[in-house]
Amino acid sequence: MPSAPKGDSADRVGRVTIVDVARRAGVSKSTVSLVLSGSELVAEATKLRVNEAMGALGYVYHRGAASLRAASSDLVGMIMGDLNNPFFAELTAGIEDALFQRGFTPILANTSEDIVRQAQVLRAMREHNVAGIIISPARGTDTWALAQQWPSHIPAVITMRRMIGSSLPYIGPDNQKGERDAVEHLLKLGHRRIAFIGGDDSMTTQRERVAGWRDALNGWGLAADESLIFEVPPTRDGGRVAIERALDGPQPPTAFACYNDIVAMGATRALALRGIVVGRDVAVVGFDDIADAEHNAPPLTTVSAHTREMGMRCAEGLLGLIRREDPASLSFAGDASLIVRESCGARFQGRGVS
Amino acid sequence: MPSAPKGDSADRVGRVTIVDVARRAGVSKSTVSLVLSGSELVAEATKLRVNEAMGALGYVYHRGAASLRAASSDLVGMIMGDLNNPFFAELTAGIEDALFQRGFTPILANTSEDIVRQAQVLRAMREHNVAGIIISPARGTDTWALAQQWPSHIPAVITMRRMIGSSLPYIGPDNQKGERDAVEHLLKLGHRRIAFIGGDDSMTTQRERVAGWRDALNGWGLAADESLIFEVPPTRDGGRVAIERALDGPQPPTAFACYNDIVAMGATRALALRGIVVGRDVAVVGFDDIADAEHNAPPLTTVSAHTREMGMRCAEGLLGLIRREDPASLSFAGDASLIVRESCGARFQGRGVS
DNA sequence: ATAGAATTTTGGAACGATCCAAAATGGGAG
DNA sequence: CTCCCATTTTGGATCGTTCCAAAATTCTAT
């Protein structure tokens, strides 16, 4: 017979508590508590007896009760702007993994870019007495409002979307450097009219990436032509719209640096539908390196944000804050590295149908 | 000056509790508790005074403390097999939304299809005294093992992956019916050699979808040719591999019913790279209707699992269990409806480049 | 055998809410 | 002015843990 985890009182009405365990092991509840916390104080023999009792009774630790006494719980809030964006889904999975491994329990909230929802969610997290939060602020989040909604003494790290003027540490990729590399790559391939498409001026991430685009052009002694910045929603459809606007204008660009991979996918699709072969007639680069990027038609040249690692960094950064390390030292701009595939033409294989 | 939420004791060392509020409002903590729970018993004037005190002190409700006395908390576990699969990301967002609206707080766990991780996560959820869980079991989860890891008296609903023999209610789309519709559509378009690609026999979802495929063929008086079932991982690359195997075999199929959209995307891409125009030379249908499906090249004909609604159903089903309704009556197979786009050829526009 | 030190164990007070029976208050009828 | 009843309010026990000072036990050296 396999060892069944059910103990003799597994079907009791109430929960099996530390007191029940203590009674069965013939010790006091304090001793059981000591065993639970892995204390060195308790004698080996006693430890064994207590563990046996816990097994027999099917005891389950009650974290809520424990954290009532401690200052904070093992809960950590994860507030994401848009879970349906694969990039954020990957980031979420990364953070979840890292937190769980460190003994924290992530509570998830998806704001769908809704700042009202975000405010509600922040309050709920406070009510749960979370040890801290990792937040990717919804678009349109105001630095001041966030400061009002989240007391500065509770650990929080901001990820992926920098809040200017906020005292909270920021963890995210180096957008400017990444975009600069991407655009320089296009310049090296001979492109001179390089558009930037997607997002708009109100998004810090867009501003950082545009800055990188400008840097690269200026670095090559070229003036950045602001009319080549196309502000469209950071969506697939946004990519399509930008392509249409760009192509229908005078002197269409020969290369497109996209706000992110989603926009780039929309753009490549729109180009393909016009019969333009991406990677031969025109170059496209994305940003983020989501899983789908390499399966796009054609596979996207993009800038990797090292999503998984970023998630780990976030978890670690928050842990640092919880341990009361200096917030300033925690801000972190991860590397962002160019991944060359086919959409830029550098490795174009000339396969005929794109 | 805008009304600052900071009260006079917002920077106290400890937390502001109902006792502090009670003191300031000149009432007992019981009264404050009554106000908190929205009781009708308390006089209007007192209610006002208490609310004023809460505002002034910046009181934040402590859900953990409250749930210590109640049988269970407002936490609900969400256990997902693979968050990186856009389908599950959408489902997760849907469930999260529905739970939050009903006043529950979802705690998230991504098992990455790892049953060891899943067991750990289940335990963590128990320790958090969750009101219930919504679980999409990791591949390879054994019904008996799950029953051991999750006591039957704690509400749980299984979603998307039926566990045969489990007493827990199952909520998911009608896979068999959906696949039958899809394959019938292919039959109507004149296809006779229709392959089923992706997943394998150990996955209940695959078995259900294969059953639908078989139903459709048999319904048209055709024998289901088992050699047309290609068992490959339910991934993009799996789709590619299946296409290669199928095309290199004798008498290649003219249509492919795919386990899900991811496989279908891998398949369409592999076909395109071989110069085969999907929607003209060959037909492909997917399953799930993830957001990317309509942006695929060509847009995928697929079966919608009504993901968002499914998420809502899960939340509602769990709520029913928490309210101690009959588990059997909660099982639910949602509709699964065919969405015709271009990959099957029914609406092929003949655009040249696919 | 015994003081003193070292090692183990323990009872009771927290933590911040809810719940219940009982007490206080207010109003209307006699 | 009292009594009764309806409306409000309240103290204290409780949920399951941790923490702390103090008690009990064991060990060591004399």
Side-chain angles (χ1 to χ4, degrees), chain B residues 20-45:
Chain B
D20 301 316
V21 174
R23 186 164 24 237
R24 181 180 232 266
V27 295
S28 77
K29 64 179 167 37
S30 304
T31 304
V32 178
S33 173
L34 251 17
V35 172
L36 243 26
S37 61
S39 165
E40 292 303 315
L41 289 178
V42 43
E44 212 53 45

PDB file of all heavy atoms in Angstrom, chain B residues 20-45:
ATOM      1  N   ASP B  20      -6.972  51.989  16.403  1.00  0.00           N
ATOM      2  CA  ASP B  20      -6.597  53.396  16.244  1.00  0.00           C
ATOM      3  C   ASP B  20      -7.779  54.199  15.708  1.00  0.00           C
ATOM      4  O   ASP B  20      -8.079  55.290  16.187  1.00  0.00           O
ATOM      5  CB  ASP B  20      -5.418  53.528  15.275  1.00  0.00           C
ATOM      6  CG  ASP B  20      -4.200  52.749  15.758  1.00  0.00           C
ATOM      7  OD1 ASP B  20      -3.905  52.832  16.967  1.00  0.00           O
ATOM      8  OD2 ASP B  20      -3.565  52.058  14.940  1.00  0.00           O
ATOM      9  N   VAL B  21      -8.425  53.617  14.723  1.00  0.00           N
ATOM     10  CA  VAL B  21      -9.576  54.287  14.126  1.00  0.00           C
ATOM     11  C   VAL B  21     -10.663  54.465  15.182  1.00  0.00           C
ATOM     12  O   VAL B  21     -11.251  55.542  15.323  1.00  0.00           O
ATOM     13  CB  VAL B  21     -10.129  53.473  12.928  1.00  0.00           C
ATOM     14  CG1 VAL B  21     -11.411  54.092  12.402  1.00  0.00           C
ATOM     15  CG2 VAL B  21      -9.088  53.377  11.827  1.00  0.00           C
ATOM     16  N   ALA B  22     -10.889  53.395  15.934  1.00  0.00           N
ATOM     17  CA  ALA B  22     -11.924  53.428  16.959  1.00  0.00           C
ATOM     18  C   ALA B  22     -11.643  54.538  17.964  1.00  0.00           C
ATOM     19  O   ALA B  22     -12.517  55.330  18.305  1.00  0.00           O
ATOM     20  CB  ALA B  22     -11.989  52.078  17.664  1.00  0.00           C
ATOM     21  N   ARG B  23     -10.406  54.617  18.398  1.00  0.00           N
ATOM     22  CA  ARG B  23     -10.028  55.623  19.386  1.00  0.00           C
ATOM     23  C   ARG B  23     -10.350  57.021  18.858  1.00  0.00           C
ATOM     24  O   ARG B  23     -11.011  57.816  19.503  1.00  0.00           O
ATOM     25  CB  ARG B  23      -8.545  55.491  19.707  1.00  0.00           C
ATOM     26  CG  ARG B  23      -8.106  56.415  20.836  1.00  0.00           C
ATOM     27  CD  ARG B  23      -6.750  56.017  21.402  1.00  0.00           C
ATOM     28  NE  ARG B  23      -5.915  55.265  20.478  1.00  0.00           N
ATOM     29  CZ  ARG B  23      -5.411  54.062  20.729  1.00  0.00           C
ATOM     30  NH1 ARG B  23      -5.651  53.484  21.884  1.00  0.00           N
ATOM     31  NH2 ARG B  23      -4.644  53.456  19.846  1.00  0.00           N
ATOM     32  N   ARG B  24      -9.914  57.277  17.621  1.00  0.00           N
ATOM     33  CA  ARG B  24     -10.118  58.619  17.075  1.00  0.00           C
ATOM     34  C   ARG B  24     -11.608  58.938  16.874  1.00  0.00           C
ATOM     35  O   ARG B  24     -12.042  60.070  17.082  1.00  0.00           O
ATOM     36  CB  ARG B  24      -9.398  58.749  15.721  1.00  0.00           C
ATOM     37  CG  ARG B  24      -9.544  60.124  15.113  1.00  0.00           C
ATOM     38  CD  ARG B  24      -8.829  60.196  13.786  1.00  0.00           C
ATOM     39  NE  ARG B  24      -7.921  61.325  13.716  1.00  0.00           N
ATOM     40  CZ  ARG B  24      -8.245  62.501  13.200  1.00  0.00           C
ATOM     41  NH1 ARG B  24      -9.445  62.730  12.748  1.00  0.00           N
ATOM     42  NH2 ARG B  24      -7.349  63.474  13.148  1.00  0.00           N
ATOM     43  N   ALA B  25     -12.371  57.917  16.495  1.00  0.00           N
ATOM     44  CA  ALA B  25     -13.794  58.163  16.248  1.00  0.00           C
ATOM     45  C   ALA B  25     -14.592  58.111  17.544  1.00  0.00           C
ATOM     46  O   ALA B  25     -15.783  58.404  17.575  1.00  0.00           O
ATOM     47  CB  ALA B  25     -14.322  57.133  15.265  1.00  0.00           C
ATOM     48  N   GLY B  26     -13.930  57.727  18.640  1.00  0.00           N
ATOM     49  CA  GLY B  26     -14.622  57.658  19.920  1.00  0.00           C
ATOM     50  C   GLY B  26     -15.634  56.523  19.995  1.00  0.00           C
ATOM     51  O   GLY B  26     -16.705  56.670  20.591  1.00  0.00           O
ATOM     52  N   VAL B  27     -15.295  55.406  19.362  1.00  0.00           N
ATOM     53  CA  VAL B  27     -16.179  54.234  19.437  1.00  0.00           C
ATOM     54  C   VAL B  27     -15.332  53.011  19.756  1.00  0.00           C
ATOM     55  O   VAL B  27     -14.119  53.129  19.929  1.00  0.00           O
ATOM     56  CB  VAL B  27     -16.923  54.003  18.103  1.00  0.00           C
ATOM     57  CG1 VAL B  27     -17.870  55.141  17.786  1.00  0.00           C
ATOM     58  CG2 VAL B  27     -15.922  53.794  16.974  1.00  0.00           C
ATOM     59  N   SER B  28     -15.948  51.855  19.811  1.00  0.00           N
ATOM     60  CA  SER B  28     -15.181  50.644  20.086  1.00  0.00           C
ATOM     61  C   SER B  28     -14.748  50.000  18.766  1.00  0.00           C
ATOM     62  O   SER B  28     -15.297  50.290  17.717  1.00  0.00           O
ATOM     63  CB  SER B  28     -16.026  49.654  20.858  1.00  0.00           C
ATOM     64  OG  SER B  28     -16.921  49.032  19.972  1.00  0.00           O
ATOM     65  N   LYS B  29     -13.765  49.119  18.863  1.00  0.00           N
ATOM     66  CA  LYS B  29     -13.277  48.464  17.645  1.00  0.00           C
ATOM     67  C   LYS B  29     -14.383  47.649  16.978  1.00  0.00           C
ATOM     68  O   LYS B  29     -14.407  47.510  15.755  1.00  0.00           O
ATOM     69  CB  LYS B  29     -12.064  47.595  17.951  1.00  0.00           C
ATOM     70  CG  LYS B  29     -12.349  46.432  18.870  1.00  0.00           C
ATOM     71  CD  LYS B  29     -11.109  45.605  19.110  1.00  0.00           C
ATOM     72  CE  LYS B  29     -11.314  44.642  20.270  1.00  0.00           C
ATOM     73  NZ  LYS B  29     -12.656  44.047  20.367  1.00  0.00           N
ATOM     74  N   SER B  30     -15.299  47.139  17.795  1.00  0.00           N
ATOM     75  CA  SER B  30     -16.395  46.356  17.222  1.00  0.00           C
ATOM     76  C   SER B  30     -17.216  47.204  16.266  1.00  0.00           C
ATOM     77  O   SER B  30     -17.628  46.745  15.197  1.00  0.00           O
ATOM     78  CB  SER B  30     -17.296  45.836  18.333  1.00  0.00           C
ATOM     79  OG  SER B  30     -16.547  45.104  19.256  1.00  0.00           O
ATOM     80  N   THR B  31     -17.444  48.424  16.656  1.00  0.00           N
ATOM     81  CA  THR B  31     -18.227  49.320  15.802  1.00  0.00           C
ATOM     82  C   THR B  31     -17.506  49.561  14.486  1.00  0.00           C
ATOM     83  O   THR B  31     -18.109  49.516  13.412  1.00  0.00           O
ATOM     84  CB  THR B  31     -18.469  50.651  16.522  1.00  0.00           C
ATOM     85  OG1 THR B  31     -19.101  50.374  17.763  1.00  0.00           O
ATOM     86  CG2 THR B  31     -19.348  51.554  15.690  1.00  0.00           C
ATOM     87  N   VAL B  32     -16.200  49.792  14.587  1.00  0.00           N
ATOM     88  CA  VAL B  32     -15.437  50.014  13.362  1.00  0.00           C
ATOM     89  C   VAL B  32     -15.548  48.782  12.474  1.00  0.00           C
ATOM     90  O   VAL B  32     -15.774  48.895  11.260  1.00  0.00           O
ATOM     91  CB  VAL B  32     -13.962  50.308  13.691  1.00  0.00           C
ATOM     92  CG1 VAL B  32     -13.173  50.484  12.403  1.00  0.00           C
ATOM     93  CG2 VAL B  32     -13.851  51.536  14.560  1.00  0.00           C
ATOM     94  N   SER B  33     -15.441  47.622  13.071  1.00  0.00           N
ATOM     95  CA  SER B  33     -15.541  46.387  12.303  1.00  0.00           C
ATOM     96  C   SER B  33     -16.889  46.314  11.601  1.00  0.00           C
ATOM     97  O   SER B  33     -16.988  45.918  10.442  1.00  0.00           O
ATOM     98  CB  SER B  33     -15.360  45.192  13.234  1.00  0.00           C
ATOM     99  OG  SER B  33     -15.605  43.995  12.555  1.00  0.00           O
ATOM    100  N   LEU B  34     -17.924  46.704  12.322  1.00  0.00           N
ATOM    101  CA  LEU B  34     -19.269  46.708  11.750  1.00  0.00           C
ATOM    102  C   LEU B  34     -19.345  47.640  10.539  1.00  0.00           C
ATOM    103  O   LEU B  34     -19.907  47.292   9.499  1.00  0.00           O
ATOM    104  CB  LEU B  34     -20.265  47.154  12.822  1.00  0.00           C
ATOM    105  CG  LEU B  34     -21.231  46.135  13.431  1.00  0.00           C
ATOM    106  CD1 LEU B  34     -20.802  44.697  13.180  1.00  0.00           C
ATOM    107  CD2 LEU B  34     -21.416  46.375  14.914  1.00  0.00           C
ATOM    108  N   VAL B  35     -18.765  48.818  10.686  1.00  0.00           N
ATOM    109  CA  VAL B  35     -18.766  49.772   9.574  1.00  0.00           C
ATOM    110  C   VAL B  35     -18.046  49.159   8.376  1.00  0.00           C
ATOM    111  O   VAL B  35     -18.516  49.216   7.245  1.00  0.00           O
ATOM    112  CB  VAL B  35     -18.078  51.093   9.980  1.00  0.00           C
ATOM    113  CG1 VAL B  35     -17.914  52.005   8.768  1.00  0.00           C
ATOM    114  CG2 VAL B  35     -18.857  51.786  11.072  1.00  0.00           C
ATOM    115  N   LEU B  36     -16.908  48.542   8.659  1.00  0.00           N
ATOM    116  CA  LEU B  36     -16.102  47.926   7.611  1.00  0.00           C
ATOM    117  C   LEU B  36     -16.892  46.892   6.814  1.00  0.00           C
ATOM    118  O   LEU B  36     -16.750  46.776   5.593  1.00  0.00           O
ATOM    119  CB  LEU B  36     -14.901  47.239   8.271  1.00  0.00           C
ATOM    120  CG  LEU B  36     -13.504  47.720   7.943  1.00  0.00           C
ATOM    121  CD1 LEU B  36     -13.468  49.161   7.508  1.00  0.00           C
ATOM    122  CD2 LEU B  36     -12.592  47.509   9.142  1.00  0.00           C
ATOM    123  N   SER B  37     -17.713  46.154   7.519  1.00  0.00           N
ATOM    124  CA  SER B  37     -18.450  45.096   6.831  1.00  0.00           C
ATOM    125  C   SER B  37     -19.762  45.625   6.261  1.00  0.00           C
ATOM    126  O   SER B  37     -20.594  44.854   5.794  1.00  0.00           O
ATOM    127  CB  SER B  37     -18.708  43.939   7.785  1.00  0.00           C
ATOM    128  OG  SER B  37     -19.475  44.385   8.873  1.00  0.00           O
ATOM    129  N   GLY B  38     -19.932  46.932   6.321  1.00  0.00           N
ATOM    130  CA  GLY B  38     -21.123  47.534   5.715  1.00  0.00           C
ATOM    131  C   GLY B  38     -22.418  47.145   6.406  1.00  0.00           C
ATOM    132  O   GLY B  38     -23.453  47.003   5.770  1.00  0.00           O
ATOM    133  N   SER B  39     -22.335  46.964   7.700  1.00  0.00           N
ATOM    134  CA  SER B  39     -23.523  46.541   8.438  1.00  0.00           C
ATOM    135  C   SER B  39     -24.587  47.633   8.515  1.00  0.00           C
ATOM    136  O   SER B  39     -24.292  48.824   8.564  1.00  0.00           O
ATOM    137  CB  SER B  39     -23.109  46.140   9.849  1.00  0.00           C
ATOM    138  OG  SER B  39     -24.228  46.046  10.686  1.00  0.00           O
ATOM    139  N   GLU B  40     -25.834  47.204   8.555  1.00  0.00           N
ATOM    140  CA  GLU B  40     -26.949  48.143   8.651  1.00  0.00           C
ATOM    141  C   GLU B  40     -27.209  48.538  10.098  1.00  0.00           C
ATOM    142  O   GLU B  40     -27.964  49.462  10.379  1.00  0.00           O
ATOM    143  CB  GLU B  40     -28.227  47.498   8.089  1.00  0.00           C
ATOM    144  CG  GLU B  40     -28.194  47.259   6.586  1.00  0.00           C
ATOM    145  CD  GLU B  40     -27.944  48.540   5.796  1.00  0.00           C
ATOM    146  OE1 GLU B  40     -28.577  49.571   6.115  1.00  0.00           O
ATOM    147  OE2 GLU B  40     -27.085  48.518   4.888  1.00  0.00           O
ATOM    148  N   LEU B  41     -26.587  47.810  10.994  1.00  0.00           N
ATOM    149  CA  LEU B  41     -26.858  48.014  12.413  1.00  0.00           C
ATOM    150  C   LEU B  41     -26.366  49.358  12.938  1.00  0.00           C
ATOM    151  O   LEU B  41     -26.949  49.910  13.855  1.00  0.00           O
ATOM    152  CB  LEU B  41     -26.183  46.908  13.229  1.00  0.00           C
ATOM    153  CG  LEU B  41     -26.799  45.510  13.124  1.00  0.00           C
ATOM    154  CD1 LEU B  41     -25.994  44.529  13.950  1.00  0.00           C
ATOM    155  CD2 LEU B  41     -28.247  45.554  13.583  1.00  0.00           C
ATOM    156  N   VAL B  42     -25.302  49.847  12.334  1.00  0.00           N
ATOM    157  CA  VAL B  42     -24.686  51.034  12.913  1.00  0.00           C
ATOM    158  C   VAL B  42     -25.344  52.339  12.425  1.00  0.00           C
ATOM    159  O   VAL B  42     -25.735  52.463  11.269  1.00  0.00           O
ATOM    160  CB  VAL B  42     -23.157  51.011  12.655  1.00  0.00           C
ATOM    161  CG1 VAL B  42     -22.860  50.567  11.250  1.00  0.00           C
ATOM    162  CG2 VAL B  42     -22.526  52.332  12.940  1.00  0.00           C
ATOM    163  N   ALA B  43     -25.499  53.257  13.355  1.00  0.00           N
ATOM    164  CA  ALA B  43     -26.183  54.526  13.078  1.00  0.00           C
ATOM    165  C   ALA B  43     -25.425  55.345  12.036  1.00  0.00           C
ATOM    166  O   ALA B  43     -24.197  55.321  11.997  1.00  0.00           O
ATOM    167  CB  ALA B  43     -26.331  55.326  14.363  1.00  0.00           C
ATOM    168  N   GLU B  44     -26.178  56.039  11.246  1.00  0.00           N
ATOM    169  CA  GLU B  44     -25.606  56.804  10.137  1.00  0.00           C
ATOM    170  C   GLU B  44     -24.525  57.780  10.615  1.00  0.00           C
ATOM    171  O   GLU B  44     -23.450  57.880  10.012  1.00  0.00           O
ATOM    172  CB  GLU B  44     -26.728  57.563   9.427  1.00  0.00           C
ATOM    173  CG  GLU B  44     -26.496  57.750   7.949  1.00  0.00           C
ATOM    174  CD  GLU B  44     -26.187  56.451   7.224  1.00  0.00           C
ATOM    175  OE1 GLU B  44     -26.886  55.436   7.466  1.00  0.00           O
ATOM    176  OE2 GLU B  44     -25.218  56.437   6.438  1.00  0.00           O
ATOM    177  N   ALA B  45     -24.800  58.471  11.677  1.00  0.00           N
ATOM    178  CA  ALA B  45     -23.866  59.479  12.188  1.00  0.00           C
ATOM    179  C   ALA B  45     -22.547  58.839  12.604  1.00  0.00           C
ATOM    180  O   ALA B  45     -21.458  59.336  12.293  1.00  0.00           O
ATOM    181  CB  ALA B  45     -24.493  60.201  13.379  1.00  0.00           C
TER     182      ALA B  45
END
